[in-house]
């Protein structure tokens, strides 16, 4: 489709060493402060800004220890959200799928763990919060955006999860991929961290990455 990733203050780096280390289909846009690939560029040169640099080598994972001590004791189980209106959530461990369907949800500052199920946003729902970390873990954990939801989040600036807004752990039981379908808008001050998982953008999603909060 025509996904757009705009990260003007962030480097974009592919550690893949293949001839298509960065490969784009349809009419996408990728923008970063710099764009590097350990391998070659495949078919991507005309849709990337600034001009891509190849043979950059592999970048180290800056977050490799960040998810080592995530709490998993359930605060809420099969938490049910209302069908309309606005709700404010508090930090905690939400066990089972958490679905936001065409309602507005605000997050108080802190750590939110969704365990043993995906975080689903669909319809025209919204999710907003400052100084938050959202971690998905366990069986079937994934981010699933459908329709036209709007997500606007900023990362916490302290602790092991500083700088990470959304993360999926890599214990072996999580889903293989997270999905953005339709026309969702994702605006983050901080990073998305999905070790071992594919992030698939289909349709016309917009991802705006503002870099780390200072």
């Amino acid at each position: 489709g025509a996904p757009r990733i705009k990260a003007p203050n962030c480097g974009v780096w592919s550690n893949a060493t293949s001839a298509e280390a960065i490969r784009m289909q349809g009419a996408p846009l990728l923008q970063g402060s710099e764009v590097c690939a350990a391998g070659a560029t495949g078919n991507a040169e005309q849709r990337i800004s600034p001009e891509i640099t190849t043979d950059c080598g592999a970048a180290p994972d800056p977050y490799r220890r960040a998810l080592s001590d995530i709490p998993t004791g359930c605060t809420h189980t099969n938490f049910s959200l209302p069908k309309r209106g606005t709700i404010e959530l508090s930090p905690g461990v939400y066990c089972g799928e958490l679905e936001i369907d065409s309602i507005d949800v605000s997050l108080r500052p802190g750590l939110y763990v969704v365990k043993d199920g995906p975080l689903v946003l669909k319809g025209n729902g919204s999710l907003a919060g400052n100084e938050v970390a959202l971690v998905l873990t366990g069986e079937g954990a994934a981010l699933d955006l459908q329709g036209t939801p709007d997500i606007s989040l900023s990362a916490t600036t302290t602790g092991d999860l500083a700088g990470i807004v959304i993360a999926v752990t890599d214990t072996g039981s999580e889903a293989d991929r997270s999905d953005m379908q339709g026309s969702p808008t994702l605006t983050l001050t901080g990073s998305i961290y999905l070790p071992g998982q594919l992030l698939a953008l289909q349709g016309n999603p917009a991802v705006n990455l503002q870099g780390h909060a200072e």
Side-chain angles (χ1 to χ4, degrees), residues 129-213:
N130 295 316
E131 288 281 331
V132 301
L134 184 56
V135 179
L136 315 180
T137 189
E139 188 71 30
L143 182 66
D144 185 1
L145 308 183
Q146 310 169 27
T148 58
D150 190 300
I151 299 93
S152 180
L153 302 170
S154 69
T156 181
T157 56
T158 60
D160 292 340
L161 294 170
I164 300 176
V165 185
I166 298 173
V168 177
T169 59
D170 187 18
T171 66
S173 60
E174 294 79 5
D176 293 334
R177 58 189 278 170
S178 283
D179 288 278
M180 296 180 64
Q181 305 178 63
S183 300
T185 299
L186 191 60
T187 303
L188 304 179
T189 301
S191 297
I192 306 172
Y193 184 48
L194 311 176
Q197 193 176 70
L198 171 71
L199 176 61
L201 281 68
Q202 305 175 53
N204 297 282
V207 181
N208 301 295
L209 300 174
Q210 308 298 327
H212 293 291

Side-chain angles (χ1 to χ4, degrees), residues 74-81 93-98 115-116:
C74 299
T75 308
H76 307 277
T77 301
N78 297 323
F79 187 80
S80 179
L81 292 170
V93 180
Y94 293 77
C95 292
E97 177 180 291
L98 184 61
K115 179 185 176 186
D116 294 336

Side-chain angles (χ1 to χ4, degrees), residues 34-55:
E34 62 173 341
V35 182
C36 288
T41 61
N43 64 344
E45 292 92 337
Q46 301 304 314
R47 305 168 196 145
I48 290 179
S49 175
E51 183 177 348
I52 191 170
T53 302
T54 58
D55 301 318

